[in-house]
Amino acid sequence: MTKQVQQLDRVIIRFAGDSGDGMQLTGDRFTAGTAEFGNDLSTLPNFPAEIRAPAGTLPGVSSFQLHFADHDILTPGDAPNVLVAMNPAALKANLSDLPRGADIIVNTDEFTKRNLQKVGYDASPLEDDSLAEWRVHPVPLTSLTVRALEGFELSKKDAERSKNMFALGLLSWLYHRPTEATIQFLETKFAKKPDIAKANIAAFQAGWNYGETTESFSVSYEIKPAKLPPGVYRNISGNQALAYGLIAASVQSGLPLFLGSYPITPASDILHELSRHKRFGIRTFQAEDEIAGVGAALGAAFGGALGVTTTSGPGVALKAETVGLAVTTELPLLVVDVQRAGPSTGMPTKTEQTDLLMAMFGRNGESPLPIVAPSTPSDCFDAAVEAARIAVKYRTPVMLLSDGYLANGSEPWKVPDAADLPDISTEFASGPNAEDGTTFLPFKRDTETLARPWAIPGTAGLEHRIGGIEKAENTGNISYDGGNHDRMVRVRQAKIDGIANDIPALEVDDPDGDARVLVLGWGSTYGPIAAAVRRIRKAGGKVAQAHLRHLNPLPANTGEVLRAYDKVLLPEINLGQLALLLRARFLVDIISYNRVRGLPFKAEELAGVIQDVIDSE
């Protein structure tokens, strides 16, 4: 049977099922095939915090959304064109997000009376008119998988576990995704269990063949590769990109990388990734708690390494005292905060931007430090290199604010040329620096950067005191003198303020130069804001956009940019933390738009907000 092939420019697919149904693996493998094919893409994994929530219930639903296209895209998409629902809970949890006319591929085998009752269905929605607004494709995924694996020595339960591979095969056929990489992945993943590998491959191929032969799908879809700038690309998540950025920073600085970390969602994958790269001289230390992790990292920095600690909001709270110690000892230390929804334990697998004020002020005393925030998953690489550059050059701890959306999301990353990476090498103190030529002054500062010398402990002639008690300027002797403390506090602040002269100016995207409304953002809001701005401009509206990477210190021209527009709109996934800082410093009436739902903004939502601001002019 010859089937029609329809050309599309983009598609948004959401896989949804129980947390034990393998939806994250299915989405990841579909993403890998899509990246291999050459489409631009963006993903949004969404899963419960519990290791295994009750099967068949709404809290146990796990989903993976993928937006891929033949052109440049910025977000995982507002709403799926296709929902693959593995059970009634997955259908009910995601149905409200589906636009009218979207496709639903539903696993009919799981629509049993018991599963329907678990989520409050009195009758099966597949048998009444409640799904009339959508195009429903009923597929008995579970029983088809079991039938495809009848020749394998597997129990019925084990065979059913491969239904996600059947679904992956079906969707791979439906959207012309390559299959070789998935087969190779399964062979590698189950290399020690060849029977399981063969069963999963058989289920995957059965799903492909089902799409090819069934009359349920008379049309398949083709999305051509995107026209991206030439280069070598790979699909990468934010946590992977951040880990690679740390490795690159280690190489470019000539410093061994030491990671002191305690596992915490959603930052743990950085520890996992770095532990795989010992050949680059990377040392990873899984500490017994958050305080031990940052203490070890600071100790490594004292010893001449690039010290890094990774965590999320609750861990930053525990690390605060040691980060303050890094401020006063003026040692380079990278503190990576992959933000999640809080307070306290909060919603560990959901995303927020709620740690900015803690990064700014969450330590005792006047303890300023630079703050850097990546804007996309791939930008986590560059942000990590930049954070390391600042830490090493200015002898200061630096906070890098990623978040769960960036950490788990993925997109194509153009692998940079190593020759284009910045040189962030540094020189350690090698001898006395006092005017008499015989004394080492540990707090004698560089006249340009105000950084103090970095002396490796044990170097002959460079013996010096270091610790949390205030030090006298230059000599580093313990000092309780009020005037000295005032000078040291002010010079540490001046050092951080001076970094503004060493970072790029805030760039504004204002094509015609006559927009009266500026949309400002920071961190992971970049994609939704940029997509919303595109929509407004396409409809004929005039709006400017700017995005901050450096949050402390701010770029030197920030105030000038804010005052150049009649209105400034600032969307944040918090209750207005950056808006608070900007209002206080620049006395600009920032229009704050805030949501804390654990999910990124939708472009359509922001476009509506932007249009309302424009119309109110």
Side-chain angles (χ1 to χ4, degrees):
M1 179 175 58
T2 302
K3 296 191 176 184
Q4 179 185 352
V5 177
Q6 183 177 336
Q7 295 288 335
L8 299 176
D9 63 346
R10 68 185 186 94
V11 173
I12 303 169
I13 298 174
R14 183 181 296 176
F15 297 93
D18 262 335
S19 55
D21 282 340
M23 294 296 94
Q24 302 306 314
L25 175 63
T26 304
D28 181 70
R29 295 320 308 162
F30 194 91
T31 299
T34 298
E36 180 188 1
F37 188 76
N39 297 119
D40 195 16
L41 63 89
S42 180
T43 69
L44 177 61
N46 189 7
F47 44 87
E50 290 80 9
I51 294 175
R52 179 62 70 86
T57 65
L58 293 174
V61 173
S62 172
S63 68
F64 188 105
Q65 183 163 306
L66 166 68
H67 182 192
F68 60 104
D70 64 3
H71 58 276
D72 174 41
I73 57 174
L74 298 165
T75 74
D78 289 351
N81 308 116
V82 181
L83 171 66
V84 180
M86 303 298 283
N87 60 18
L91 177 65
K92 189 167 189 177
N94 293 280
L95 193 59
S96 60
D97 291 338
L98 287 181
R100 182 176 299 179
D103 289 291
I104 303 175
I105 300 174
V106 60
N107 180 15
T108 56
D109 288 327
E110 297 300 317
F111 278 68
T112 63
K113 183 177 180 180
R114 182 184 180 193
N115 285 344
L116 291 167
Q117 289 175 343
K118 285 181 181 180
V119 294
Y121 279 128
D122 294 326
S124 173
L126 304 180
E127 299 173 359
D128 56 28
D129 294 329
S130 60
L131 301 179
E133 295 181 358
W134 299 276
R135 294 186 296 183
V136 180
H137 305 274
V139 181
L141 291 172
T142 305
S143 57
L144 286 173
T145 303
V146 172
R147 192 182 310 163
L149 301 183
E150 286 178 350
F152 294 83
E153 295 182 358
L154 297 174
S155 66
K156 184 174 182 290
K157 184 177 181 180
D158 287 339
E160 289 177 352
R161 288 175 180 168
S162 298
K163 62 180 180 290
N164 63 324
M165 288 296 105
F166 189 100
L168 178 59
L170 173 58
L171 270 293
S172 296
W173 171 83
L174 193 59
Y175 292 99
H176 295 232
R177 301 296 92 185
T179 60
E180 294 79 6
T182 296
I183 293 173
Q184 185 178 6
F185 166 81
L186 292 171
E187 290 173 341
T188 303
K189 180 177 177 63
F190 299 108
K192 296 181 179 180
K193 299 179 180 179
D195 291 341
I196 299 296
K198 291 178 182 178
N200 277 277
I201 292 171
F204 174 73
Q205 292 173 333
W208 175 282
N209 294 333
Y210 178 81
E212 182 72 23
T213 58
T214 184
E215 295 182 1
S216 300
F217 297 93
S218 58
V219 178
S220 64
Y221 303 94
E222 186 174 73
I223 298 90
K224 293 182 178 179
K227 294 180 180 179
L228 301 174
V232 176
Y233 287 83
R234 62 154 293 172
N235 186 52
I236 199 166
S237 70
N239 275 347
Q240 284 179 312
L242 206 153
Y244 293 167
L246 293 175
I247 295 171
S250 173
V251 173
Q252 294 301 107
S253 65
L255 302 173
L257 176 67
F258 178 91
L259 174 70
S261 183
Y262 181 75
I264 184 171
T265 301
S268 299
D269 284 342
I270 303 172
L271 169 62
H272 301 160
E273 185 63 40
L274 287 176
S275 68
R276 299 186 178 104
H277 300 286
K278 295 181 177 63
R279 65 185 184 281
F280 291 107
I282 309 299
R283 290 185 177 90
T284 54
F285 168 55
Q286 181 174 320
E288 65 267 29
D289 56 39
E290 295 281 2
I291 298 172
V294 68
L298 183 58
F302 177 50
L306 182 60
V308 182
T309 189
T310 53
T311 188
S312 189
V316 174
L318 292 167
K319 296 177 190 291
E321 183 179 3
T322 306
V323 175
L325 178 60
V327 170
T328 195
T329 56
E330 301 188 51
L331 287 167
L333 175 70
L334 298 185
V335 182
V336 177
D337 176 6
V338 186
Q339 301 166 96
R340 72 190 203 188
S344 188
T345 306
M347 299 191 297
T349 59
K350 309 302 180 183
T351 195
E352 278 182 4
Q353 293 182 297
T354 43
D355 294 349
L356 176 57
L357 293 182
M358 179 167 65
M360 285 287 294
F361 306 119
R363 295 163 296 283
N364 63 297
E366 296 287 349
S367 53
L369 52 73
I371 303 172
V372 177
S375 57
T376 68
S378 62
D379 187 48
C380 290
F381 176 91
D382 296 309
V385 174
E386 172 67 355
R389 182 190 73 85
I390 293 172
V392 169
K393 183 174 181 178
Y394 292 90
R395 310 287 196 269
T396 176
V398 177
M399 190 82 73
L400 195 156
L401 291 181
S402 179
D403 62 39
Y405 169 43
L406 296 181
N408 296 318
S410 62
E411 66 179 358
W413 173 52
K414 185 181 179 183
V415 180
D417 188 330
D420 295 334
L421 296 176
D423 178 11
I424 56 178
S425 58
T426 187
E427 293 184 4
F428 294 109
S430 58
N433 60 354
E435 291 183 0
D436 61 12
T438 62
T439 308
F440 174 64
L441 301 176
F443 284 92
K444 182 179 181 180
R445 301 179 182 279
D446 181 278
T447 56
E448 179 183 352
T449 65
L450 298 181
R452 75 171 188 85
W454 192 1
I456 302 296
T459 305
L462 302 187
E463 296 82 0
H464 62 283
R465 293 182 178 90
I466 198 167
I469 298 178
E470 185 64 277
K471 303 296 184 292
E473 58 180 339
N474 292 325
T475 66
N477 295 330
I478 291 174
S479 174
Y480 291 97
D481 178 75
N484 173 80
H485 178 59
D486 184 84
R487 289 191 297 274
M488 292 295 277
V489 166
R490 292 180 185 276
V491 77
R492 287 193 290 261
Q493 182 66 60
K495 180 176 69 170
I496 303 305
D497 292 342
I499 296 172
N501 301 318
D502 191 25
I503 60 177
L506 177 60
E507 294 184 2
V508 181
D509 175 21
D510 188 355
D512 298 323
D514 57 354
R516 300 175 65 183
V517 173
L518 171 70
V519 186
L520 182 68
W522 68 276
S524 65
T525 58
Y526 171 77
I529 290 175
V533 166
R534 280 185 182 179
R535 295 187 183 199
I536 295 297
R537 290 175 180 170
K538 189 175 181 180
K542 294 182 180 295
V543 61
Q545 180 191 359
H547 208 77
L548 288 164
R549 164 179 281 182
H550 296 88
L551 299 170
N552 192 44
L554 293 162
N557 68 328
T558 302
E560 177 186 346
V561 168
L562 297 180
R563 296 186 186 101
Y565 292 87
D566 294 344
K567 294 186 176 180
V568 179
L569 173 66
L570 176 52
E572 297 183 78
I573 311 178
N574 56 45
L575 295 184
Q577 296 189 12
L578 180 59
L580 177 71
L581 297 175
L582 296 179
R583 289 184 187 121
R585 178 167 176 180
F586 300 109
L587 302 181
V588 173
D589 187 17
I590 304 291
I591 301 171
S592 194
Y593 182 74
N594 312 110
R595 290 289 184 271
V596 281
R597 298 169 295 194
L599 293 169
F601 286 116
K602 293 183 178 181
E604 182 180 13
E605 169 190 6
L606 290 184
V609 175
I610 295 170
Q611 190 61 56
D612 288 344
V613 174
I614 293 174
D615 293 341
S616 67
E617 279 282 303

